[in-house]
Amino acid sequence: MLAAPKGIVPYIRQHFLDTTFRGLYQANGFDLALLIPYFSVLILLAGYGAHRYVLVYLYYKHKKNRTTEAAGHFDDLPRVTVQLPIFNEQYVIERLLDAICKLKYPREKLDIQVLDDSTDETVEVARGLVERYAALGHPIVYQHRANREGFKAGALAEGMKTARGEFIAIFDADFTPPEDFLLRTIHHFTDPKVGMVQTRWTHINRNYSFLTQVEAILLDGHFVLEHSGRARTGLFFNFNGTAGLWRRQAIEEAGGWQHDTLTEDTDLSYRAQLKGWKFIYLQDVECPAELPVEMTAFKTQQARWAKGLIQTGKKILPRVLRSDAPLHTKIEAWYHLTANLSYPLMIMLSVLLLPAMVIRFYQGWFQMLYIDLPLFMASTFSISSFYLVSQRELFPRSWPRALLYLPFLMALGIGLTITNTKAVIEALIGKESAFARTPKYRVETKQDRVGVTKYRKRLGWVPWVELLVGAYFALTVYYAVENENYITVPFLLLFVVGYWYTGLMSLLQGRFGGVSLRTTNHTKPFPVGV
């Protein structure tokens, strides 16, 4: 048998210009039963992908609306209550309280509440730290609940009962606000219509590992383009649960903290904005936080956010759509609160991709190029431009380095689909679950190591399914290569890398029924004996 001619020109002639078999293939009912849902999923994903381009457009179009300085200044600073909700945070509580007690604000106008729902050694550690700082003259109190009713929302609501401040600042345990945080945010409330001020998260351990680098880029996209694009356009956006300051009246008028969703912050944000309160986003005010250093912790965080946003969408979207808010505000709220539906859509695409490839192969390459490729570009490559723009805005000189991470960022997003699809389905069917905290270990530099496993989540079936799905896509890569469908190979490799990376990292960093992998000791001192 003669070998097929090699080279790019013969390849193009054979696959794109040869009309020998044109018109022989006719789609049947089975083919249509596969192709109709395949294209339906692609179109829906392309819609969510195109929305990212819209956010980039809004970001630049309304750049002049960027909020930097407050319109006025308080002659007499108002009282502020700082709430610190914690749950089993023995490794980071000392760092948190050290940062909070360094805040520059008149002590007679400041109250600090440590709202502790912990069930482990954190209780003794936190109580001892609070007693020490109180003895030094800091206005700090310790409140411990014997139950976790309402989880974080319940703790914040309980703290509100004794809070004395007209304004409420909230920080999670892994945050370290700068000393001037309150002074740079409080004056925006001289406008009586302002109900909340949100600041931008930055990352203490951004350079710790490859995973934290990718996580940082993901969060940068949210805080630079999503928040800024919405805030500058006057659209609804959300408080992120931490690193923000609330007007107490806005919380109370909106109905207070409610715990029927896992994203109580987004829920309250929409209720407050529906009441007419104005939100401000300060991109230039940074609040450092620790990123999850383990895949299991990262997946726990992402699943909680995915489930919570769908729960909030079910609860809030009907109110938004019935409200007198402008149409573009309603459309943006829809995209914001339903964005995680893209995860089950990605699962459907994963199932349909190989059979669709087989069918489309016999329909001809030209159709694949002018139909499939644009849809894939809209649904997936919008991610690249979205996150590249955020890096360019934050790091004007070094942003091209982000190009190295983009393929892995896309792969990681694909790898999260099984975990987040499970979370989304639970939200859609109304299955309730506990507030799963993201474990933090005070790992800040590459010299630090995680030597404790007590907060690691036990493994379930998800990592094994991720490995299995990755193997399925490895077969699709083989099929594509065998049929010289080289254009699809890079895209398919993203699926292979994404599923195998999340699955293997979960297995390596997780534990089986309490049996954990041997690791080096943690280099940070255990915060006991204060």
Side-chain angles (χ1 to χ4, degrees), residues 290-317:
E290 181 180 331
L291 294 163
V293 296
E294 296 183 322
M295 180 61 70
T296 49
F298 177 60
K299 288 165 72 174
T300 297
Q301 180 190 68
Q302 294 297 308
R304 185 180 73 242
W305 290 349
K307 183 173 184 176
L309 280 179
I310 295 297
Q311 290 174 326
T312 302
K314 288 175 61 180
K315 174 182 178 179
I316 294 296
L317 271 179

Side-chain angles (χ1 to χ4, degrees), residues 261-524:
T261 74
L262 292 179
T263 48
E264 70 292 321
D265 42 19
T266 303
D267 172 28
L268 177 60
S269 298
Y270 272 85
R271 286 188 279 117
Q273 288 169 107
L274 285 171
K275 288 289 185 179
W277 288 101
K278 178 182 175 182
F279 281 18
I280 288 178
Y281 175 59
L282 301 178
Q283 183 174 318
D284 296 329
V285 180
E286 302 176 357
C287 191
E290 181 180 331
L291 294 163
V293 296
E294 296 183 322
M295 180 61 70
T296 49
F298 177 60
K299 288 165 72 174
T300 297
Q301 180 190 68
Q302 294 297 308
R304 185 180 73 242
W305 290 349
K307 183 173 184 176
L309 280 179
I310 295 297
Q311 290 174 326
T312 302
K314 288 175 61 180
K315 174 182 178 179
I316 294 296
L317 271 179
R319 304 185 197 180
V320 174
L321 297 177
R322 290 194 302 265
S323 73
D324 57 358
L327 178 61
H328 65 281
T329 299
K330 296 178 180 180
I331 293 174
E332 182 57 36
W334 173 272
Y335 272 108
H336 179 200
L337 297 178
T338 66
N340 289 296
L341 292 177
S342 59
Y343 289 108
L345 290 174
M346 284 293 293
I347 293 292
M348 294 174 64
L349 180 65
S350 300
V351 173
L352 295 169
L353 195 55
L354 180 57
M357 281 179 60
V358 175
I359 295 171
R360 300 291 282 157
F361 174 78
Y362 289 106
Q363 288 182 333
W365 285 95
F366 187 67
Q367 290 190 41
M368 292 187 70
L369 278 179
Y370 79 82
I371 298 178
D372 299 52
L373 190 60
L375 290 174
F376 274 117
M377 292 287 288
S379 58
T380 59
F381 285 89
S382 63
I383 298 174
S384 304
S385 59
F386 184 81
Y387 291 107
L388 272 181
V389 169
S390 70
Q391 296 307 290
R392 184 176 180 273
E393 288 295 298
L394 293 177
F395 311 106
R397 295 184 178 180
S398 61
W399 70 268
R401 290 182 62 248
L403 288 168
L404 301 174
Y405 294 95
L406 281 182
F408 301 98
L409 184 147
M410 296 170 66
L412 181 60
I414 292 170
L416 291 172
T417 53
I418 295 176
T419 299
N420 288 357
T421 294
K422 177 176 177 288
V424 168
I425 292 174
E426 287 179 355
L428 291 174
I429 65 177
K431 181 180 179 180
E432 296 183 358
S433 58
F435 185 99
R437 59 178 285 278
T438 307
K440 302 291 172 60
Y441 301 105
R442 197 171 179 175
V443 174
E444 301 175 2
T445 68
K446 292 182 179 180
Q447 286 70 43
D448 298 330
R449 293 291 183 271
V450 179
V452 288
T453 60
K454 64 178 296 181
Y455 291 150
R456 281 179 176 164
K457 187 178 180 181
R458 293 178 183 272
L459 294 174
W461 50 267
V462 171
W464 301 105
V465 175
E466 289 167 344
L467 294 180
L468 188 62
V469 175
Y472 167 77
F473 275 100
L475 290 176
T476 65
V477 172
Y478 174 78
Y479 173 84
V481 172
E482 280 292 299
N483 288 276
E484 299 183 348
N485 187 354
Y486 301 123
I487 295 176
T488 63
V489 170
F491 180 77
L492 295 173
L493 283 174
L494 291 177
F495 282 79
V496 177
V497 173
Y499 285 119
W500 278 355
Y501 178 63
T502 54
L504 285 172
M505 291 293 285
S506 298
L507 292 174
L508 292 173
Q509 294 176 340
R511 63 181 186 178
F512 299 85
V515 179
S516 61
L517 298 173
R518 184 181 299 274
T519 56
T520 56
N521 291 330
H522 196 281
T523 60
K524 293 292 181 182

Side-chain angles (χ1 to χ4, degrees), residues 84-89 93 96 114-118 122 126 142 173:
L84 309 174
I86 64 172
F87 174 69
N88 294 351
E89 303 284 4
I93 180 63
L96 169 68
V114 177
L115 307 174
D116 189 8
D117 283 358
S118 298
T122 305
Y142 177 80

Side-chain angles (χ1 to χ4, degrees), residues 227-265:
H227 265 5
S228 292
R230 290 171 181 143
R232 295 175 183 182
T233 313
L235 302 171
F236 289 172
F237 71 97
N238 63 293
F239 168 58
N240 291 101
T242 178
L245 191 62
W246 277 88
R247 188 187 297 271
R248 180 174 185 152
Q249 182 184 354
I251 297 176
E252 293 172 342
E253 285 190 4
W257 293 105
Q258 299 175 8
H259 56 264
D260 51 350
T261 74
L262 292 179
T263 48
E264 70 292 321
D265 42 19

Side-chain angles (χ1 to χ4, degrees), residues 56-67:
V56 174
Y57 169 74
L58 293 176
Y59 176 83
Y60 284 111
K61 179 183 179 182
H62 301 285
K63 201 163 188 175
K64 64 181 184 301
N65 296 335
R66 178 173 183 164
T67 302

